[in-house]
PDB file of all heavy atoms in Angstrom:
ATOM      1  N   ASP V 392     -69.037 -28.897 163.000  1.00  0.00           N
ATOM      2  CA  ASP V 392     -70.108 -28.186 163.630  1.00  0.00           C
ATOM      3  C   ASP V 392     -70.618 -28.828 165.006  1.00  0.00           C
ATOM      4  O   ASP V 392     -71.583 -28.515 165.503  1.00  0.00           O
ATOM      5  CB  ASP V 392     -71.301 -27.986 162.687  1.00  0.00           C
ATOM      6  CG  ASP V 392     -71.894 -29.286 162.236  1.00  0.00           C
ATOM      7  OD1 ASP V 392     -71.527 -30.368 162.850  1.00  0.00           O
ATOM      8  OD2 ASP V 392     -72.670 -29.333 161.251  1.00  0.00           O
ATOM      9  N   GLY V 393     -69.747 -29.772 165.417  1.00  0.00           N
ATOM     10  CA  GLY V 393     -70.082 -30.515 166.611  1.00  0.00           C
ATOM     11  C   GLY V 393     -70.748 -31.872 166.299  1.00  0.00           C
ATOM     12  O   GLY V 393     -70.740 -32.749 167.146  1.00  0.00           O
ATOM     13  N   ALA V 394     -71.236 -32.063 165.034  1.00  0.00           N
ATOM     14  CA  ALA V 394     -71.794 -33.265 164.676  1.00  0.00           C
ATOM     15  C   ALA V 394     -71.203 -33.775 163.294  1.00  0.00           C
ATOM     16  O   ALA V 394     -70.848 -34.972 163.169  1.00  0.00           O
ATOM     17  CB  ALA V 394     -73.322 -33.195 164.530  1.00  0.00           C
ATOM     18  N   ASN V 395     -71.041 -32.816 162.403  1.00  0.00           N
ATOM     19  CA  ASN V 395     -70.505 -33.255 161.065  1.00  0.00           C
ATOM     20  C   ASN V 395     -69.349 -32.375 160.622  1.00  0.00           C
ATOM     21  O   ASN V 395     -69.167 -31.205 161.098  1.00  0.00           O
ATOM     22  CB  ASN V 395     -71.618 -33.088 160.037  1.00  0.00           C
ATOM     23  CG  ASN V 395     -72.816 -34.096 160.332  1.00  0.00           C
ATOM     24  OD1 ASN V 395     -72.632 -35.258 160.310  1.00  0.00           O
ATOM     25  ND2 ASN V 395     -73.961 -33.527 160.713  1.00  0.00           N
ATOM     26  N   LYS V 396     -68.567 -32.947 159.726  1.00  0.00           N
ATOM     27  CA  LYS V 396     -67.513 -32.142 159.061  1.00  0.00           C
ATOM     28  C   LYS V 396     -68.015 -31.532 157.746  1.00  0.00           C
ATOM     29  O   LYS V 396     -68.776 -32.202 156.995  1.00  0.00           O
ATOM     30  CB  LYS V 396     -66.352 -33.079 158.786  1.00  0.00           C
ATOM     31  CG  LYS V 396     -65.821 -33.797 159.998  1.00  0.00           C
ATOM     32  CD  LYS V 396     -64.581 -33.049 160.646  1.00  0.00           C
ATOM     33  CE  LYS V 396     -64.131 -33.666 161.950  1.00  0.00           C
ATOM     34  NZ  LYS V 396     -63.554 -35.035 161.841  1.00  0.00           N
ATOM     35  N   HIS V 397     -67.533 -30.346 157.474  1.00  0.00           N
ATOM     36  CA  HIS V 397     -67.957 -29.666 156.181  1.00  0.00           C
ATOM     37  C   HIS V 397     -66.727 -29.086 155.511  1.00  0.00           C
ATOM     38  O   HIS V 397     -65.719 -28.839 156.148  1.00  0.00           O
ATOM     39  CB  HIS V 397     -68.893 -28.535 156.517  1.00  0.00           C
ATOM     40  CG  HIS V 397     -70.116 -28.974 157.260  1.00  0.00           C
ATOM     41  ND1 HIS V 397     -71.164 -29.590 156.619  1.00  0.00           N
ATOM     42  CD2 HIS V 397     -70.442 -28.845 158.562  1.00  0.00           C
ATOM     43  CE1 HIS V 397     -72.164 -29.847 157.521  1.00  0.00           C
ATOM     44  NE2 HIS V 397     -71.663 -29.452 158.701  1.00  0.00           N
ATOM     45  N   ARG V 398     -66.864 -28.984 154.185  1.00  0.00           N
ATOM     46  CA  ARG V 398     -65.640 -28.576 153.377  1.00  0.00           C
ATOM     47  C   ARG V 398     -65.631 -27.029 153.121  1.00  0.00           C
ATOM     48  O   ARG V 398     -66.653 -26.381 153.185  1.00  0.00           O
ATOM     49  CB  ARG V 398     -65.672 -29.272 152.070  1.00  0.00           C
ATOM     50  CG  ARG V 398     -65.393 -30.741 152.127  1.00  0.00           C
ATOM     51  CD  ARG V 398     -64.826 -31.273 150.789  1.00  0.00           C
ATOM     52  NE  ARG V 398     -63.469 -30.892 150.560  1.00  0.00           N
ATOM     53  CZ  ARG V 398     -62.348 -31.450 151.008  1.00  0.00           C
ATOM     54  NH1 ARG V 398     -62.469 -32.481 151.757  1.00  0.00           N
ATOM     55  NH2 ARG V 398     -61.188 -31.005 150.658  1.00  0.00           N
ATOM     56  N   THR V 399     -64.369 -26.574 152.971  1.00  0.00           N
ATOM     57  CA  THR V 399     -64.181 -25.125 152.615  1.00  0.00           C
ATOM     58  C   THR V 399     -63.443 -25.207 151.302  1.00  0.00           C
ATOM     59  O   THR V 399     -62.474 -25.858 151.113  1.00  0.00           O
ATOM     60  CB  THR V 399     -63.289 -24.492 153.653  1.00  0.00           C
ATOM     61  OG1 THR V 399     -63.923 -24.589 154.903  1.00  0.00           O
ATOM     62  CG2 THR V 399     -63.045 -23.068 153.358  1.00  0.00           C
ATOM     63  N   GLU V 400     -64.058 -24.441 150.295  1.00  0.00           N
ATOM     64  CA  GLU V 400     -63.427 -24.325 148.972  1.00  0.00           C
ATOM     65  C   GLU V 400     -62.803 -22.950 148.854  1.00  0.00           C
ATOM     66  O   GLU V 400     -63.554 -21.957 148.920  1.00  0.00           O
ATOM     67  CB  GLU V 400     -64.451 -24.527 147.900  1.00  0.00           C
ATOM     68  CG  GLU V 400     -65.374 -25.743 148.060  1.00  0.00           C
ATOM     69  CD  GLU V 400     -64.785 -26.977 147.462  1.00  0.00           C
ATOM     70  OE1 GLU V 400     -63.862 -26.882 146.638  1.00  0.00           O
ATOM     71  OE2 GLU V 400     -65.257 -28.082 147.896  1.00  0.00           O
ATOM     72  N   ILE V 401     -61.570 -22.824 148.559  1.00  0.00           N
ATOM     73  CA  ILE V 401     -60.859 -21.584 148.460  1.00  0.00           C
ATOM     74  C   ILE V 401     -60.299 -21.505 147.034  1.00  0.00           C
ATOM     75  O   ILE V 401     -59.380 -22.265 146.718  1.00  0.00           O
ATOM     76  CB  ILE V 401     -59.787 -21.411 149.516  1.00  0.00           C
ATOM     77  CG1 ILE V 401     -60.403 -21.534 150.919  1.00  0.00           C
ATOM     78  CG2 ILE V 401     -59.109 -20.018 149.356  1.00  0.00           C
ATOM     79  CD1 ILE V 401     -59.313 -21.530 152.065  1.00  0.00           C
ATOM     80  N   GLY V 402     -60.810 -20.586 146.208  1.00  0.00           N
ATOM     81  CA  GLY V 402     -60.347 -20.520 144.807  1.00  0.00           C
ATOM     82  C   GLY V 402     -58.928 -19.991 144.670  1.00  0.00           C
ATOM     83  O   GLY V 402     -58.302 -19.506 145.656  1.00  0.00           O
ATOM     84  N   ALA V 403     -58.416 -20.061 143.423  1.00  0.00           N
ATOM     85  CA  ALA V 403     -57.053 -19.612 143.193  1.00  0.00           C
ATOM     86  C   ALA V 403     -56.882 -18.103 143.477  1.00  0.00           C
ATOM     87  O   ALA V 403     -57.836 -17.318 143.438  1.00  0.00           O
ATOM     88  CB  ALA V 403     -56.759 -19.819 141.676  1.00  0.00           C
ATOM     89  N   ASP V 404     -55.668 -17.791 143.948  1.00  0.00           N
ATOM     90  CA  ASP V 404     -55.210 -16.434 144.247  1.00  0.00           C
ATOM     91  C   ASP V 404     -56.032 -15.689 145.253  1.00  0.00           C
ATOM     92  O   ASP V 404     -56.047 -14.498 145.331  1.00  0.00           O
ATOM     93  CB  ASP V 404     -55.341 -15.576 142.877  1.00  0.00           C
ATOM     94  CG  ASP V 404     -54.407 -16.120 141.863  1.00  0.00           C
ATOM     95  OD1 ASP V 404     -53.187 -16.239 142.087  1.00  0.00           O
ATOM     96  OD2 ASP V 404     -54.885 -16.614 140.807  1.00  0.00           O
ATOM     97  N   VAL V 405     -56.803 -16.455 146.055  1.00  0.00           N
ATOM     98  CA  VAL V 405     -57.449 -15.862 147.214  1.00  0.00           C
ATOM     99  C   VAL V 405     -56.427 -15.451 148.267  1.00  0.00           C
ATOM    100  O   VAL V 405     -55.344 -16.075 148.393  1.00  0.00           O
ATOM    101  CB  VAL V 405     -58.470 -16.883 147.853  1.00  0.00           C
ATOM    102  CG1 VAL V 405     -58.952 -16.457 149.230  1.00  0.00           C
ATOM    103  CG2 VAL V 405     -59.663 -17.059 146.941  1.00  0.00           C
ATOM    104  N   HIS V 406     -56.738 -14.342 148.897  1.00  0.00           N
ATOM    105  CA  HIS V 406     -55.901 -13.884 150.055  1.00  0.00           C
ATOM    106  C   HIS V 406     -56.752 -13.874 151.306  1.00  0.00           C
ATOM    107  O   HIS V 406     -57.682 -13.154 151.445  1.00  0.00           O
ATOM    108  CB  HIS V 406     -55.383 -12.477 149.732  1.00  0.00           C
ATOM    109  CG  HIS V 406     -54.325 -11.995 150.704  1.00  0.00           C
ATOM    110  ND1 HIS V 406     -53.028 -11.785 150.317  1.00  0.00           N
ATOM    111  CD2 HIS V 406     -54.436 -11.674 151.960  1.00  0.00           C
ATOM    112  CE1 HIS V 406     -52.404 -11.347 151.344  1.00  0.00           C
ATOM    113  NE2 HIS V 406     -53.224 -11.254 152.349  1.00  0.00           N
ATOM    114  N   VAL V 407     -56.446 -14.778 152.228  1.00  0.00           N
ATOM    115  CA  VAL V 407     -57.109 -14.805 153.488  1.00  0.00           C
ATOM    116  C   VAL V 407     -56.293 -14.068 154.538  1.00  0.00           C
ATOM    117  O   VAL V 407     -55.097 -14.440 154.796  1.00  0.00           O
ATOM    118  CB  VAL V 407     -57.350 -16.277 153.986  1.00  0.00           C
ATOM    119  CG1 VAL V 407     -58.068 -16.341 155.315  1.00  0.00           C
ATOM    120  CG2 VAL V 407     -58.133 -17.060 152.933  1.00  0.00           C
ATOM    121  N   GLY V 408     -56.778 -12.992 155.059  1.00  0.00           N
ATOM    122  CA  GLY V 408     -56.050 -12.175 156.082  1.00  0.00           C
ATOM    123  C   GLY V 408     -55.821 -12.945 157.399  1.00  0.00           C
ATOM    124  O   GLY V 408     -56.346 -14.085 157.514  1.00  0.00           O
ATOM    125  N   SER V 409     -55.105 -12.320 158.239  1.00  0.00           N
ATOM    126  CA  SER V 409     -54.724 -12.992 159.462  1.00  0.00           C
ATOM    127  C   SER V 409     -55.933 -13.137 160.425  1.00  0.00           C
ATOM    128  O   SER V 409     -56.876 -12.297 160.425  1.00  0.00           O
ATOM    129  CB  SER V 409     -53.659 -12.192 160.231  1.00  0.00           C
ATOM    130  OG  SER V 409     -52.491 -12.146 159.441  1.00  0.00           O
ATOM    131  N   ASN V 410     -55.891 -14.164 161.214  1.00  0.00           N
ATOM    132  CA  ASN V 410     -56.877 -14.410 162.274  1.00  0.00           C
ATOM    133  C   ASN V 410     -58.337 -14.428 161.769  1.00  0.00           C
ATOM    134  O   ASN V 410     -59.215 -13.805 162.367  1.00  0.00           O
ATOM    135  CB  ASN V 410     -56.743 -13.258 163.336  1.00  0.00           C
ATOM    136  CG  ASN V 410     -57.193 -13.705 164.689  1.00  0.00           C
ATOM    137  OD1 ASN V 410     -57.128 -14.894 164.994  1.00  0.00           O
ATOM    138  ND2 ASN V 410     -57.710 -12.826 165.514  1.00  0.00           N
ATOM    139  N   CYS V 411     -58.511 -15.123 160.645  1.00  0.00           N
ATOM    140  CA  CYS V 411     -59.969 -15.292 160.145  1.00  0.00           C
ATOM    141  C   CYS V 411     -60.444 -16.639 160.516  1.00  0.00           C
ATOM    142  O   CYS V 411     -59.720 -17.683 160.644  1.00  0.00           O
ATOM    143  CB  CYS V 411     -59.840 -15.212 158.642  1.00  0.00           C
ATOM    144  SG  CYS V 411     -59.573 -13.551 158.085  1.00  0.00           S
ATOM    145  N   VAL V 412     -61.806 -16.711 160.766  1.00  0.00           N
ATOM    146  CA  VAL V 412     -62.448 -18.014 160.945  1.00  0.00           C
ATOM    147  C   VAL V 412     -63.365 -18.256 159.748  1.00  0.00           C
ATOM    148  O   VAL V 412     -64.224 -17.403 159.468  1.00  0.00           O
ATOM    149  CB  VAL V 412     -63.296 -17.992 162.274  1.00  0.00           C
ATOM    150  CG1 VAL V 412     -63.962 -19.308 162.465  1.00  0.00           C
ATOM    151  CG2 VAL V 412     -62.441 -17.621 163.493  1.00  0.00           C
TER     152      VAL V 412
END
Side-chain angles (χ1 to χ4, degrees):
D392 61 14
N395 296 298
K396 302 264 172 72
H397 302 281
R398 289 202 71 85
T399 302
E400 312 273 341
I401 304 176
D404 299 300
V405 164
H406 187 112
V407 178
S409 296
N410 206 30
C411 290
V412 183

